[in-house]
């Protein structure tokens, strides 16, 4: 049994308590991680502070940081199949989706590697004899709390931006999915000054508060649930620490009668089954114009029933849920939904021959749910699509904006006026017209309105999370007046 060590102050260390890591496709234990202690977290923060303030790190030029990140991108691509299998076995997602995640991670390191020496300040004209410079400096110690659904992507997108801008990084991987973050740590361990990149493992409820409440960190990036995000924000507030929060969604796909129906059907389906619906930006609500609702939903049911579900390595349409906790929660919701008459396809657990300990369910469509029902309001985090109907543009917008979330929205219409009008009124951080997701969109700012979070990741704008601004005003005089 492989025991995954933590990387603290340049050393590989273990903790006293061990936590099992299971393959969701089979239920088997594939590794064990340590549950970090408070003392180990304190040691990591101390090491990060020493490393960040060291002359060794200060002497790293911006382009050298960028070159290192680009080298990591090349390494990931060289080992893409090996890392894809790690992600597939860790998360349970189909192998092709894992391959896409590995490529996305490589692109993040490549993108921010290229940006490292292009983070520039400015000068402000004040008056003659005064040179005013705005300098962008790293914030210091950045903490990155990574969720279990896209571990390598979400590790890469924030860690790459933080290192590119010269910070010291501490990553806390999810207890269920530490493998690819550990692979990144193995590569970085001997290439950076010790303490600049560290990897902590353990149960989120135990280890997370040690990190988020630590008085000597400078920024927290967290992706996860709203309740945990609130706790992270409260802990950060005690120390006046900025946060970047991405907290999920109940994202709508709004389909108008004039849409390209085939494209919309495929887009709506893929938006909810990717990673078994365990995606913060999943298209969990179909808001369909009532004149085409019956035909559209009938065809969508056929597509759902044709989907193949199985172990990640079989590379079918959909893999399992992550763990028993997810499985129990979602199957319980679906049992009640079935009793209420809402399930029009799916809704049942699946027993896959040879994988009876995996956590499989049928992709599910719910119809007849009131827009205020929790099934239409709350994030289920599984392959469950709720259908709602509208008869006017205004009603479609009102339904789209009727939840506490505002992460992503899809608009399907061939009328450019309708599409742009709806996009301008929908409260969401990303709006896709006649597509959904845009292949990861490394360059696209990503984040939400309302309870979907604070701040933005991805793209150049994410570099702002890891910089602080300093104004330097220099008075000078002609040489003969000194």
């Amino acid at each position: 049994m492989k025991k995954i060590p933590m990387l603290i102050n340049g050393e590989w260390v273990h903790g006293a308590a061990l936590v099992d890591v299971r393959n969701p496709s089979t239920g088997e234990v594939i590794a064990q991680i340590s549950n970090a202690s408070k003392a180990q977290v304190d040691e990591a923060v101390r090491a990060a502070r020493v490393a960040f303030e060291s002359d060794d790190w200060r002497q790293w030029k911006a382009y050298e940081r960028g070159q290192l990140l680009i080298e990591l991108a090349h390494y990931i691509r060289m080992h893409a199949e090996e890392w894809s299998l790690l992600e597939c076995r860790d998360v349970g997602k189909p192998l092709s989706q894992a391959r896409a995640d590995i490529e996305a991670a490589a692109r993040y390191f490549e993108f921010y590697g290229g940006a490292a020496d292009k983070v520039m300040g400015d000068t402000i004209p004040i008056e003659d004899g005064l040179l005013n410079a705005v300098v962008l400096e790293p914030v210091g110690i950045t903490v990155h709390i990574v969720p279990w659904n896209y571990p390598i992507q979400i590790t890469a997108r924030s860690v790459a931006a933080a290192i590119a801008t010269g910070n010291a990084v501490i990553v806390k991987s999810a207890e269920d999915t530490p493998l690819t973050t550990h692979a990144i740590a193995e590569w970085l361990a001997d290439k950076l000054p010790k303490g600049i990149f560290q990897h902590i493992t353990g149960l989120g409820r135990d280890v997370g508060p040690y990190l988020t409440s630590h008085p000597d960190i400078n920024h927290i990036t967290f992706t996860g649930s709203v309740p945990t995000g609130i706790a992270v924000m409260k802990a950060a507030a005690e120390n006046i620490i900025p946060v970047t929060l991405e907290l999920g969604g109940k994202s709508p796909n709004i389909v108008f009668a004039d849409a390209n129906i085939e494209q919309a059907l495929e887009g709506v389906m893929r938006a909810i089954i990717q990673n078994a619906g365990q995606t913060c930006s999943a298209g969990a609500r179909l808001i369909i114009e009532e004149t085409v609702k019956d035909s559209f939903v009938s065809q969508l049911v056929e597509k759902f029933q044709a989907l193949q579900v199985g172990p990640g390595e079989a590379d079918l349409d959909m893999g399992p849920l992550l763990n028993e906790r997810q499985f129990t929660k979602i199957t319980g919701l679906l049992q009640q939904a079935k009793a209420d008459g809402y399930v029009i396809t799916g809704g049942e657990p699946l027993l896959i021959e040879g994988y009876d300990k995996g956590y499989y369910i049928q992709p599910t469509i719910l119809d007849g749910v009131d827009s205020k029902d929790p099934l239409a309001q709350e994030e289920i985090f599984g392959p469950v699509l709720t259908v709602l109907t509208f008869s006017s543009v205004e009603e479609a917008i009102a339904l789209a904006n009727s939840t506490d979330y505002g992460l992503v929205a899809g608009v399907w219409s061939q009328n450019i006026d309708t599409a742009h009008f709806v996009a301008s009124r929908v409260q969401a951080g990303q709006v896709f017209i006649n597509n959904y997701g845009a292949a990861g969109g490394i360059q696209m700012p990503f984040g939400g309105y309302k309870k979907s979070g604070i701040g933005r990741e991805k793209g150049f704008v994410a570099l702002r999370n890891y910089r602080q601004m300093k104004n330097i005003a220099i008075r000078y005089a002609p040489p003969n007046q000194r």
Side-chain angles (χ1 to χ4, degrees):
M1 179 61 59
K2 183 174 182 178
K3 293 180 172 60
I4 305 293
M6 297 181 287
L7 180 62
I8 298 177
N9 197 18
E11 303 293 331
W12 296 109
V13 301
H14 293 278
L18 294 176
V19 179
D20 289 341
V21 178
R22 295 182 181 273
N23 181 338
S25 293
T26 63
E28 68 175 331
V29 177
I30 54 176
Q32 290 182 315
I33 57 168
S34 296
N35 203 32
S37 66
K38 185 177 185 303
Q40 288 174 318
V41 170
D42 288 343
E43 181 184 354
V45 175
R46 281 195 299 271
R49 178 60 59 195
V50 170
F52 175 70
E53 295 179 354
S54 69
D55 289 340
D56 189 7
W57 185 233
R58 288 177 183 273
Q59 288 169 6
W60 274 63
K61 299 177 179 65
Y63 78 85
E64 292 173 331
R65 298 194 301 266
Q67 286 175 337
L68 180 73
L69 297 175
I70 292 169
E71 285 176 24
L72 176 51
H74 291 330
Y75 181 85
I76 290 171
R77 289 198 176 102
M78 286 174 58
H79 296 82
E81 194 62 19
E82 174 191 344
W83 285 36
S84 297
L85 282 168
L86 284 179
E87 195 81 338
C88 171
R89 291 167 182 165
D90 217 9
V91 187
K93 62 182 61 181
L95 189 55
S96 58
Q97 292 181 27
R99 290 185 181 118
D101 288 356
I102 299 305
E103 172 59 20
R107 288 183 63 204
Y108 279 121
F109 285 114
E110 194 170 60
F111 181 86
Y112 289 113
D117 60 353
K118 300 167 186 68
V119 178
M120 301 178 186
D122 207 346
T123 59
I124 300 174
I126 305 294
E127 61 184 58
D128 187 40
L130 189 69
L131 175 63
N132 195 86
V134 178
V135 179
L136 301 176
E137 298 184 338
V139 296
I141 300 173
T142 63
V143 169
H144 307 248
I145 300 178
V146 177
W148 48 259
N149 55 342
Y150 290 86
I152 192 165
Q153 275 213 53
I154 295 175
T155 296
R157 77 185 186 195
S158 63
V159 165
I163 290 177
T165 45
N167 296 279
V169 167
I170 302 174
V171 179
K172 160 66 178 69
S173 58
E175 58 261 33
D176 292 289
T177 56
L179 299 185
T180 47
T181 303
H182 174 64
I184 290 172
E186 286 185 309
W187 192 87
L188 286 173
D190 61 354
K191 295 176 178 63
L192 288 167
K194 65 179 185 178
I196 289 299
F197 178 88
Q198 300 178 90
H199 179 206
I200 299 288
T201 62
L203 298 173
R205 65 174 182 267
D206 296 338
V207 181
Y210 298 153
L211 279 166
T212 58
S213 64
H214 202 288
D216 198 30
I217 64 172
N218 302 111
H219 184 275
I220 302 168
T221 296
F222 170 80
T223 302
S225 69
V226 170
T228 306
I230 291 170
V232 168
M233 196 170 180
K234 285 181 176 178
E238 290 292 328
N239 296 308
I240 321 296
I241 300 301
V243 296
T244 302
L245 303 177
E246 196 269 280
L247 304 179
K250 191 73 171 178
S251 299
N253 265 303
I254 308 166
V255 180
F256 287 86
D258 68 351
N260 181 313
I261 296 300
E262 280 304 316
Q263 288 181 2
L265 283 165
E266 187 70 14
V268 168
M269 180 186 70
R270 293 296 168 193
I272 190 59
I273 69 162
Q274 182 178 337
N275 200 25
Q278 300 169 125
T279 303
C280 55
S281 56
R285 291 183 297 152
L286 166 61
I287 301 176
I288 178 80
E289 191 163 2
E290 62 183 5
T291 57
V292 294
K293 184 247 185 173
D294 290 344
S295 172
F296 190 92
V297 172
S298 176
Q299 292 177 76
L300 194 61
V301 166
E302 290 181 9
K303 282 184 169 289
F304 268 54
Q305 291 175 347
L307 291 169
Q308 294 182 295
V309 181
E313 289 182 63
D315 202 19
L316 303 175
D317 297 302
M318 198 177 87
L321 299 175
L322 179 80
N323 55 31
E324 185 177 4
R325 182 176 64 254
Q326 277 285 101
F327 181 80
T328 301
K329 182 192 87 169
I330 293 172
T331 54
L333 285 172
L334 293 181
Q335 284 176 2
Q336 184 59 53
K338 197 159 192 175
D340 292 337
Y342 298 143
V343 176
I344 60 172
T345 189
E348 296 289 343
L350 279 174
L351 187 62
I352 307 296
E353 186 177 354
Y355 297 89
D356 56 311
K357 293 183 179 179
Y359 307 110
Y360 300 94
I361 66 169
Q362 295 173 326
T364 301
I365 300 176
L366 308 180
D367 193 13
V369 178
D370 186 88
S371 63
K372 295 182 174 58
D373 190 289
L375 291 169
Q377 289 285 318
E378 298 174 5
E379 189 173 42
I380 294 174
F381 224 61
V384 182
L385 178 68
T386 302
V387 179
L388 304 167
T389 60
F390 68 91
S391 58
S392 68
V393 172
E394 292 73 20
E395 188 181 4
I397 294 167
L399 283 170
N401 294 337
S402 65
T403 74
D404 287 337
Y405 297 102
L407 189 57
V408 174
V411 182
W412 301 83
S413 173
Q414 296 187 80
N415 184 311
I416 192 168
D417 291 328
T418 298
H420 277 284
F421 182 80
V422 173
S424 74
R425 299 299 192 270
V426 169
Q427 297 167 357
Q430 287 188 334
V431 181
F432 296 97
I433 297 175
N434 296 325
N435 71 108
Y436 196 94
I442 304 302
Q443 307 94 319
M444 299 176 181
F446 181 66
Y449 284 39
K450 300 185 282 186
K451 289 185 179 178
S452 282
I454 295 173
R456 294 293 183 267
E457 296 192 77
K458 302 187 180 184
F460 283 112
V461 70
L463 295 166
R464 298 177 185 175
N465 299 332
Y466 307 105
R467 300 176 295 178
Q468 55 190 339
M469 189 177 293
K470 178 182 287 183
N471 194 87
I472 302 175
I474 307 165
R475 176 69 68 184
Y476 64 93
N480 59 3
Q481 294 183 15
R482 289 180 179 175

